[in-house]
Amino acid sequence: MTVYIVARIMISDREAYGKYEQGFMPVFNLFEGRMLSVDESPHVLEGEWTCTRTVLAAFPSKDMALEWYNCAEYQAILPHRLAGARAEIAILAGLPAPAA
């Protein structure tokens, strides 16, 4: 079942974060990830949206999402994100497809 990753990111060092971005998509694509949204100015309906970037991505399964996050290639670029940003990241379960 499809799962979604939502990431609320507060970028503090664009140069360090840029190094992370350079390597991100090649690794992401290895695990059948689909980028659904990357937004630095969402239209907030309620509350405070304190992050500088919000990301929504999809993976075919939770196992695939975890394989991506834990793979050696992603772990190699992760220090650049950690040096340049704070993040809140979660995997959300998708809903089953409606019966036809």
Side-chain angles (χ1 to χ4, degrees):
M1 177 183 310
T2 300
V3 299
Y4 301 93
I5 289 188
V6 61
R8 293 174 25 97
I9 303 165
M10 178 59 78
I11 300 170
S12 57
D13 181 338
R14 291 275 178 179
E15 184 176 336
Y17 192 82
K19 291 176 185 174
Y20 168 77
E21 287 180 307
Q22 288 174 354
F24 180 85
M25 286 308 293
V27 176
F28 183 76
N29 290 334
L30 290 174
F31 295 88
E32 300 177 37
R34 289 183 299 124
M35 193 59 59
L36 302 177
S37 179
V38 177
D39 199 338
E40 292 201 6
S41 57
H43 183 108
V44 178
L45 297 176
E46 292 187 28
E48 294 181 36
W49 207 263
T50 58
C51 57
T52 55
R53 176 174 287 183
T54 304
V55 177
L56 180 62
F59 284 91
S61 68
K62 184 176 181 180
D63 287 343
M64 191 76 83
L66 290 170
E67 284 180 41
W68 159 75
Y69 187 84
N70 292 309
C71 78
E73 296 89 348
Y74 184 74
Q75 291 300 307
I77 64 171
L78 181 57
H80 297 299
R81 181 175 59 76
L82 297 175
R86 290 186 336 270
E88 298 167 339
I89 302 171
I91 296 175
L92 307 177
L95 297 173

